[in-house]
Amino acid sequence: MDQILAVDIGTQSLRAGILDGQLNLLERQQVPLTVRVSRGIHAEMDGEEIWSALVAACRRLDLRDRIGAVVLSTLCPSLLPLDGSGHPLHPVILHLDRRSEEEARWALQTIGEETFLNIAGNLPIPGGISLTSLLWLKNNAPEIYRRKDVCFGHAATLMLHRLTGRFLIDPSNASFTGLYDTVGYSDWDERLYGPLDIDPAKLPTVQHSNTIAGEILPGAAADLGIPKAIPVVTGANDTTCACVGAEVNAEGDLLNTSGTVDILVLCLDKPMVSPRHLLRTHAYPGKWLAMRTVGAGGGSLEWFRKNFCREIDKEEFYSSYLQQVLEHRPPLRASFRPFLSGNRHQVELATASFDNLTLDSTREEMLVALLDGIVSFQFDELDTWKNHVALNNSIKHVGGGATSCYTAFKQEKLTGFKLQMVGETTLAGAAKLAFDTLEKVC
């Protein structure tokens, strides 16, 4: 088998790429996805739109009939209840959603902070840990929860079921449910789902990222226009795949991803829990990833563009204006709290704000303050991490926002670390998982 179809489902778009055994990207198609924000704190996506986007992207790939396997990289968390036939019963509740603060508080009171951290590895952050969204549906759409055939998975579960007919979730996705033993790299844990009265029969089967989920269904192969009877590799969430693609696999390795979400990632040989960072399993058993996260990193930048730079075309803003501001930036006088979609490290709802603005403050000063707030919130965590782990002095900078001007801006915030601009690594990481998995089983 020479070629893999890697699928990366993000917040803004779905990308489908065909890669060869040397991880060269031979062809790529991208289809936009729609995030629907309402009431200020609801953020959803249509599950059927994700599948339709995959069909559209695959149909545009000229080399699709030559692939030998499919692998997924998916946004997370992305809670989605499915019926017994795999049809969505509610829109996907995204990581940007904050409607479930009441449920998060109840879960934290019921289980306790220490138990959550020592088993799940994370606190029940509203929307950021999908248990809270599941509880919100249980309280506000009980007819969904009461269904005997319901399965509460993530977007990955929908796609794996469409491809193979199985309700599955990988550990990196399960790590952000609040019901999985992330610290033990294990399975759904009764110490979590029991006190919360969550029926484990309503959860998908956890299957390792580097395993075969199944053989593609004939109908799915026909929809996508790809060969029949090829294997589907389970895959992982998008940040985990980015780490695989950037070779962030050893303890102390660091990665900084810039996209809709901005994340500083530390690879670990042993789980390290803290309310200051999120914890998930790596794609490889016996490895973990600590994550300091700004939920609306690139999302904050897009918010700024839409509200303060309406006369500037989107392409011009990102390709020209942003670079000019960073290269000739004004002194940093203002500051920004980067919580437009809340703080992914606390249960209480946090909001964003600018401070130290005056009558002569310019939008360029505000833009620099916004970027400084995003970067500082992540990189300040390095001082804590280095007290526990010997850190690599190189940080891989990846993602669609990892431009040369933004990399240079971030580098100025770092002492003792070199930021290495790598570019997009998610598709390559997913493909590497697939090639390694297939080599192992063959």
Side-chain angles (χ1 to χ4, degrees), residues 280-295:
R280 69 162 18 113
T281 59
H282 203 332
Y284 306 110
K287 300 281 185 180
W288 289 261
L289 301 172
M291 301 167 53
R292 180 73 164 173
T293 304
V294 178

Side-chain angles (χ1 to χ4, degrees), residues 102-178:
E102 181 178 340
E103 286 78 12
R105 290 179 181 275
W106 176 79
L108 186 59
Q109 182 179 14
T110 301
I111 299 294
E113 178 175 320
E114 183 177 354
T115 301
F116 261 122
L117 287 176
N118 289 332
I119 301 174
N122 301 295
L123 299 179
I125 308 301
I129 298 297
S130 59
L131 155 70
T132 66
S133 300
L134 191 163
L135 290 172
W136 186 91
L137 285 173
K138 187 179 182 184
N139 291 337
N140 292 274
E143 70 281 3
I144 293 178
Y145 185 84
R146 286 198 298 261
R147 288 181 63 118
K148 293 183 179 179
D149 65 343
V150 68
C151 177
F152 289 95
H154 282 183
T157 309
L158 166 69
M159 303 303 280
L160 287 167
H161 187 272
R162 289 286 169 93
L163 293 170
T164 70
R166 300 180 65 200
F167 291 104
L168 301 173
I169 192 169
D170 71 276
S172 69
N173 267 275
S175 295
F176 277 19
T177 63

Side-chain angles (χ1 to χ4, degrees), residues 300-305 308-309 312 317-318 321-326 329-330 332 334 336 354 357 362-374 406 409:
S300 296
L301 196 56
E302 181 63 6
W303 168 85
F304 186 91
R305 182 191 71 82
F308 296 97
C309 303
I312 302 177
F317 177 87
Y318 287 104
Y321 175 75
L322 181 59
Q323 180 175 347
Q324 291 174 10
V325 171
L326 290 178
R329 59 183 177 272
L332 183 64
F336 177 71
F354 284 99
L357 297 180
T362 66
R363 71 177 179 184
E364 286 72 26
E365 288 182 279
M366 295 173 66
L367 177 55
V368 172
L370 181 145
L371 293 172
D372 182 80
I374 293 170
Y406 196 22
F409 176 79

Side-chain angles (χ1 to χ4, degrees), residues 374-438:
I374 293 170
V375 174
S376 296
F377 183 79
Q378 297 170 82
F379 288 172
D380 287 351
E381 192 65 11
L382 289 168
D383 288 334
T384 301
W385 285 350
K386 69 183 182 183
N387 292 327
H388 301 277
V389 178
L391 302 181
N392 193 321
N393 61 8
S394 176
I395 303 175
K396 306 287 184 65
H397 192 202
V398 306
T403 60
S404 57
C405 62
Y406 196 22
T407 301
F409 176 79
K410 289 185 173 185
Q411 183 64 61
E412 294 183 14
K413 303 290 295 182
L414 289 166
T415 301
F417 295 92
K418 175 65 176 178
L419 204 59
Q420 180 185 352
M421 189 171 69
V422 178
E424 294 275 8
T425 62
T426 306
L427 286 174
K432 178 172 173 51
L433 267 179
F435 280 116
D436 290 349
T437 300
L438 294 167

